[in-house]
Amino acid sequence: MSFKNYSLAPYLIEALDEINFKTPTPIQEKIIPLILKKESVIGQSQTGTGKSHSFLLPLLSFVDPSKNELQLVITAPSRELAEQLVSVTKQLIAHSPQPILLEKCVGGTDKQRQMNKLQQQQPHIVIGTPGRIFDLMKENVLFVQTVTMMVVDEADMTFDLGFLETVDEIASRMSPDLQMTVFSATIPDKIKPFLRKYMGNPTFVQIQEHELLSPTIENLLLVTKGANPDQLLYEILTAGHPYLMLIFANTKQRVDEVTAFLRNKGLKVAAIHGDIPARERRRIMRQVQQMDFQYVVATDLAARGIDITGVSHVVNLEIPKELEFFIHRVGRTGRNGLPGTAITFYTPDQEEAIHTLESKGITFKTVAFQNGQIVESYDRKRREKRKDTQTKEVDHHVRGMISKARKNVKPGYKKKLATEIKSHQRKNRKNNTKKK
């Protein structure tokens, strides 16, 4: 299968050739034909499967640059996700014979300046966060009544951040013939009423990857019992030579604490979380891409919202509260067939969370940090295995002896029973040795 097999606008094929995209991914193979047939689609897939191109390519083919009206709106739950989509879209529309006007609508930018621009001319495409898009609609400078195509990207994250009602307000003002495309890593029950309202009988496409994590990732479980996690992290950072390391914490406060600790130790570290202003985050991201920073400490916003190329190591200082985020975090490394290392800090009281991940098909190698290097550690399940072994070793003859002793309780029976069992086991061992 080639992209040339689809009825895409010719300029899009040129754009794909430019970045050497020849063959569609599984999700692109399934979704592109459906959208080209004007069907409403719900796509569920993991990160890194090529979903952005799966909806951008067919929808951009429908955009008519000769019309001076807004035709396509794409919402993303974070500024970073919107920036990513804008970047991909710009590359695709660059070859259009007639200019296609694209407007990025996100917070943290000059709203008045954007309003003045929209009063002069409406774009063909808007990509942005729900809050800013709805703001511009309320100011009567962005007109969505003409929109026939809408994409809600990362719908589950949109709901988690409380933006789904705003997306509903936006969609309710669009054309009755609206073709909606929704993408989500998961489909929680709470977003299903919204989907039914706008999509009628949509086509559901789910791409199940054979492996949750790339086979090129070494997935390590680091035992931290009794250690100071910040000091341990510092020792790991300074012992190896990561190309680029992403360090994840569960809260903004924890990100700030770890960043301050590492900076006090003399390391140049970038911090990324929701409380950092948008302009500052963009500056940090540029510096990261230019390799000004070797270490980035982040919340899960980065796992879902930022695509940093060249990540060689990922460290989970804490197991994420939403275990599905583990896959998003670790998936930042080991891309495009390159090797990657993921290290998850672990204490025995977190066994239940680790067991849940293992039940999903994720495998770990248990390690410890000793003498300045990571070494293989004990088997976490050794106690269970020991119990199983002990259970198997108690044979029927011994069990019968114990049962008989219970019925005939006499003085000194415990000592006599123990002697008989030991004698029986010695005979068994001798017999087994002879057989071998």
Side-chain angles (χ1 to χ4, degrees):
M1 178 62 76
S2 161
F3 285 110
K4 292 177 182 176
N5 294 108
Y6 303 119
S7 302
L8 300 174
Y11 78 85
L12 292 171
I13 302 298
E14 288 180 45
L16 292 170
D17 285 340
E18 186 178 73
I19 54 175
N20 203 30
F21 277 20
K22 304 291 184 186
T23 309
T25 64
I27 195 165
Q28 290 162 3
E29 275 190 19
K30 290 189 175 183
I31 285 180
I32 290 173
L34 294 171
I35 295 179
L36 287 172
K37 287 192 285 186
K38 297 277 188 178
E39 291 188 27
S40 289
V41 178
I42 298 172
Q44 185 177 357
S45 71
Q46 296 163 20
T47 183
T49 53
K51 67 179 172 69
S52 300
H53 284 87
S54 76
F55 63 80
L56 284 172
L57 289 168
L59 293 175
L60 290 175
S61 294
F62 292 139
V63 172
D64 184 352
S66 67
K67 293 181 179 178
N68 184 25
E69 61 186 29
L70 182 57
Q71 300 165 50
L72 169 62
V73 169
I74 302 171
T75 67
S78 72
R79 297 166 187 171
E80 287 77 16
L81 278 167
E83 294 270 8
Q84 252 177 260
L85 288 168
V86 167
S87 177
V88 174
T89 306
K90 279 181 177 177
Q91 190 275 327
L92 290 174
I93 64 176
H95 292 268
S96 174
Q98 284 181 271
I100 294 177
L101 304 180
L102 168 64
E103 188 70 18
K104 177 180 71 179
C105 299
V106 297
T109 55
D110 190 330
K111 181 180 169 183
Q112 188 57 52
R113 187 178 173 186
Q114 189 163 39
M115 286 171 59
N116 295 340
K117 181 182 175 184
L118 290 170
Q119 283 173 332
Q120 300 298 316
Q121 189 169 30
Q122 289 292 289
H124 299 112
I125 305 165
V126 159
I127 299 174
T129 50
R132 175 53 70 92
I133 292 172
F134 192 50
D135 260 2
L136 295 169
M137 287 167 57
K138 288 192 291 185
E139 296 285 356
N140 290 317
V141 292
L142 185 66
F143 306 118
V144 300
Q145 294 86 344
T146 55
V147 173
T148 56
M149 300 174 286
M150 183 179 189
V151 178
V152 181
D153 198 15
E154 303 287 0
D156 54 348
M157 191 177 177
T158 300
F159 172 78
D160 289 341
L161 295 173
F163 297 144
L164 201 62
E165 283 186 20
T166 309
V167 174
D168 190 357
E169 292 280 1
I170 296 167
S172 67
R173 290 160 170 76
M174 292 179 177
S175 166
D177 302 322
L178 183 66
Q179 178 188 10
M180 185 177 280
T181 306
V182 172
F183 282 88
S184 193
T186 59
I187 310 291
D189 287 337
K190 290 179 179 178
I191 70 170
K192 288 178 180 175
F194 169 83
L195 301 178
R196 284 194 294 270
K197 181 176 178 180
Y198 291 102
M199 304 187 78
N201 188 27
T203 303
F204 183 77
V205 176
Q206 185 174 20
I207 300 296
Q208 290 284 7
E209 296 294 308
H210 295 299
E211 292 170 300
L212 292 172
L213 301 178
S214 166
T216 62
I217 296 173
E218 188 178 27
N219 197 29
L220 307 178
L221 198 61
L222 181 70
V223 180
T224 62
K225 189 177 180 181
N228 178 321
D230 293 358
Q231 180 62 31
L232 180 59
L233 174 65
Y234 170 72
E235 290 173 13
I236 289 170
L237 300 193
T238 51
H241 301 283
Y243 179 75
L244 177 59
M245 181 179 280
L246 263 180
I247 301 154
F248 285 104
N250 288 352
T251 64
K252 300 167 190 175
Q253 181 184 351
R254 186 76 181 107
V255 167
D256 289 337
E257 288 171 359
V258 173
T259 302
F261 178 85
L262 295 176
R263 284 175 180 169
N264 285 338
K265 291 282 189 179
L267 297 182
K268 192 175 181 185
V269 182
I272 302 174
H273 58 64
D275 283 353
I276 295 171
R279 186 174 295 178
E280 176 69 5
R281 276 194 306 216
R282 285 196 295 272
R283 184 187 63 76
I284 292 169
M285 286 309 303
R286 281 195 300 271
Q287 287 183 285
V288 171
Q289 298 291 9
Q290 292 162 7
M291 289 307 298
D292 290 344
F293 291 103
Q294 196 175 5
Y295 312 106
V296 180
V297 188
T299 57
D300 280 300
L301 173 71
R304 292 288 288 270
I306 300 171
D307 193 10
I308 302 174
T309 55
V311 176
S312 61
H313 291 70
V314 167
V315 174
N316 293 310
L317 287 176
E318 305 157 294
I319 298 168
K321 291 183 175 66
E322 297 292 332
L323 293 181
E324 68 189 63
F325 284 149
F326 179 88
I327 296 161
H328 293 291
R329 290 180 178 187
V330 175
R332 298 299 100 192
T333 188
R335 293 189 158 196
N336 302 318
L338 295 172
T341 302
I343 303 169
T344 299
F345 282 24
Y346 157 85
T347 52
D349 61 336
Q350 297 171 309
E351 185 60 45
E352 188 178 344
I354 295 298
H355 180 71
T356 302
L357 290 170
E358 288 177 325
S359 70
K360 292 180 179 180
I362 294 169
T363 56
F364 293 94
K365 182 163 74 174
T366 309
V367 297
F369 191 74
Q370 296 172 0
N371 302 320
Q373 58 184 348
I374 290 174
V375 296
E376 283 201 47
S377 183
Y378 64 86
D379 182 356
R380 286 171 27 244
K381 299 180 180 177
R382 67 196 186 287
R383 288 182 182 173
E384 293 172 27
K385 289 178 180 177
R386 194 182 299 149
K387 283 179 186 175
D388 290 345
T389 305
Q390 289 170 348
T391 303
K392 288 173 186 174
E393 284 177 353
V394 177
D395 63 21
H396 294 296
H397 188 84
V398 172
R399 201 171 281 145
M401 290 164 70
I402 294 168
S403 178
K404 186 179 178 183
R406 281 175 183 157
K407 291 175 185 175
N408 302 295
V409 178
K410 294 178 183 178
Y413 84 97
K414 284 185 179 179
K415 189 175 179 181
K416 185 179 178 183
L417 176 63
T419 304
E420 285 180 11
I421 289 173
K422 282 180 182 177
S423 174
H424 174 74
Q425 288 174 337
R426 271 198 302 272
K427 286 177 185 176
N428 272 355
R429 282 197 293 271
K430 283 180 182 178
N431 289 335
N432 288 335
T433 304
K434 285 178 183 177
K435 285 176 184 175
K436 285 178 184 177

